[in-house]
């Protein structure tokens, strides 16, 4: 046990503090799983947000606020059993409110872009808020990442938090009152499960996801260029210069987009011969999963060689947006005053294809009254020595 771990153990014993630190020592065997609630701060309109800490019996913690349903922190052990945060985030609610590039956030109603913020459903046109050059991105100016959800702890043998939000007919331009439920569960097997559900009272489109930025070094010590990625996806969606898919599904074989075998992310991220890399300023594309069924299946593995941490991703979704933090530029100051620079994190946003409402050949994102939108994604952590 190192000096920091020893001090922290003392603090836990003396202060009875059990769940407030983002870095902790190797847990004792009798560590209890559970959920704690603490005040997190006030929004401009006077409403309060809370911070929930979920701990599993292995000592892993997930911190979630009901503001934006944001995953504020997630600890996972390295090969020596050292728990560290594997996400990017801020120290305070104020920063999340002021300038969050979607760190940890729930995204809705529509993950990623809808071209020019327009689509037509059953002959009825909708005009959405345009918030990303000429396009609509991640649900608009006030997406689900910026609303206050209602949080309820869920009874059970694993700590879980249920978040609900009703998005009003017309919100950000979308049709229908949409009732959304998201449940975060911190499983015994060091997996964070996210279950999404939604229903509507008018035909609409839905594509929910979570936008956590991961860095498996722990505490974001370096870029993610040395992380090694495997993606079970044999095609990806090429985009135009505003990052809207062209409609083509392109085989990854022979391109910088082929992660079907474990590959260091940095190897081809700046492949200047590929216009797609130029458009995304690196990876910022949607991969079409080889198994695009609605079954829960493993789709990605990320390995960080120094810490030995491994993250595997499972989902019921047909695609995943792999984004390498290309637009981080050091101007965002994260936890403990640390500036997050370009490529200091990666996102694996499980979802339907961007701009599906305007591409009839893409799997549908339409939700009708009487139907229930239901998806699940699991991020699981382990180590490889
Ligand atoms: C998008 C990026 C965007 C990032 C943060 C990703 O899902 O694909 O283009 O910059 O989110 O907004």
């Amino acid at each position: 046990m190192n000096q920091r771990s020893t001090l922290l153990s003392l603090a836990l014993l003396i202060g009875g503090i059990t769940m407030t630190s983002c870095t902790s020592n190797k847990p004792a065997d009798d560590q209890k799983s559970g959920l704690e609630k603490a005040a997190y701060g006030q929004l401009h309109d006077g409403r309060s947000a809370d911070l929930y800490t979920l701990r599993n019996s292995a000592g892993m913690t997930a911190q979630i606020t009901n503001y934006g349903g944001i995953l504020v922190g997630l600890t996972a052990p390295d090969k020596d059993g050292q728990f560290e945060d594997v996400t990017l985030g801020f120290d305070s609610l104020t920063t999340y409110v002021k300038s969050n590039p979607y760190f940890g956030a729930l995204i809705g109603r529509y993950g990623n872009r809808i071209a020019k913020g327009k689509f037509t459903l059953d002959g009825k046109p909708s005009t959405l808020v345009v918030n990303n050059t000429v396009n609509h991105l991640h649900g608009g100016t006030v997406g689900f990442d910026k609303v206050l959800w209602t949080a309820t702890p869920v009874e059970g043998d694993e700590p879980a938090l249920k978040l609900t939000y009703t998005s009003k007919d017309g919100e950000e331009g979308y049709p229908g009152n949409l009732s959304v439920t998201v449940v975060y569960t911190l499983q015994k097997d060091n997996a964070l499960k996210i279950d999404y559900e939604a229903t509507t009272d008018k035909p609409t489109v839905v594509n929910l996801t979570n936008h956590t930025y991961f860095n498996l070094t722990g505490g974001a010590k370096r870029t993610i260029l040395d992380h090694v990625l495997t993606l079970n996806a044999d095609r990806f969606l090429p985009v135009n210069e505003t990052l809207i898919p062209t409609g083509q599904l392109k085989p990854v074989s022979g391109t910088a987009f082929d992660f079907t075998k474990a590959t260091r992310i940095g190897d081809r991220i700046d492949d200047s011969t590929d216009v797609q890399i130029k458009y995304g300023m690196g990876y910022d594309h949607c991969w079409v999963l080889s198994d695009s069924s609605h079954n829960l299946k493993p789709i990605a593995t990320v390995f960080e060689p120094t810490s030995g941490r491994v993250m595997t991703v499972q989902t019921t979704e047909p695609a995943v947006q792999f984004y390498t933090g290309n637009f981080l530029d050091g101007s965002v100051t994260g936890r403990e005053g640390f500036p997050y620079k370009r490529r200091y994190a990666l996102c694996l946003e499980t979802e339907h294809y961007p701009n599906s409402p305007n591409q009839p050949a893409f799997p549908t994102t339409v939700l009708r009254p009487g139907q229930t939108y239901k998806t699940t994604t699991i991020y699981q952590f382990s180590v490889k020595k």
Side-chain angles (χ1 to χ4, degrees), residues 196-320:
Y196 304 84
E197 264 192 50
T199 54
T200 182
D201 62 359
K202 276 188 196 167
T204 192
V205 295
V206 191
N207 187 27
L208 307 177
T209 192
N210 174 282
H211 207 305
T212 295
Y213 285 61
F214 294 100
N215 183 322
L216 302 188
T217 60
K221 297 185 187 77
R222 292 179 292 283
T223 69
I224 46 76
L225 296 178
D226 288 334
H227 287 44
V228 177
L229 172 69
T230 313
L231 269 181
N232 304 338
D234 45 26
R235 288 169 302 170
F236 79 105
L237 303 182
V239 291
N240 68 17
E241 48 283 275
T242 71
L243 302 184
I244 295 292
T246 59
Q248 190 201 355
L249 276 64
K250 187 172 176 189
V252 293
S253 176
T255 75
F257 292 78
D258 190 353
F259 286 95
T260 53
K261 292 196 185 65
T263 305
R264 186 180 162 271
I265 293 172
D267 279 358
R268 301 163 306 182
I269 198 168
D270 286 318
D271 180 352
S272 57
T273 63
D274 194 325
V275 70
Q276 287 301 317
I277 291 280
K278 190 175 141 219
Y279 288 160
M281 289 173 64
Y283 297 114
D284 188 1
H285 296 76
C286 181
W287 269 252
V288 175
L289 300 173
S290 304
D291 174 355
S292 60
S293 70
H294 195 69
N295 301 328
L296 190 64
K297 67 266 170 183
I299 61 135
T301 305
V302 186
F303 169 57
E304 198 285 299
T306 313
S307 66
R309 288 190 181 93
V310 176
M311 178 173 80
T312 56
V313 185
Q314 296 177 59
T315 191
T316 58
E317 290 279 27
V320 63

Side-chain angles (χ1 to χ4, degrees), residues 102-164:
Y102 303 99
F103 288 167
L106 290 181
I107 304 295
R109 294 186 188 191
Y110 202 97
N112 213 278
R113 294 174 176 81
I114 296 180
K116 310 231 164 91
K118 288 193 190 305
F119 68 92
T120 299
L121 179 56
D122 298 341
K124 291 197 185 112
S126 285
T127 301
L128 309 174
V129 169
V130 166
N131 60 328
N132 186 249
T133 62
V134 294
N135 299 318
H136 175 85
L137 175 69
H138 295 332
T141 312
V142 186
F144 292 178
D145 58 298
K146 293 184 190 67
V147 301
L148 194 64
W149 295 67
T150 301
T152 324
V154 181
E155 294 291 324
D157 59 352
E158 289 176 322
L161 184 70
K162 178 163 108 176
L163 298 168
T164 56

Side-chain angles (χ1 to χ4, degrees), residues 61-74:
T61 57
Q63 292 196 297
I64 298 152
T65 173
N66 58 331
Y67 174 73
I70 294 170
L71 178 67
V72 169
L74 184 68

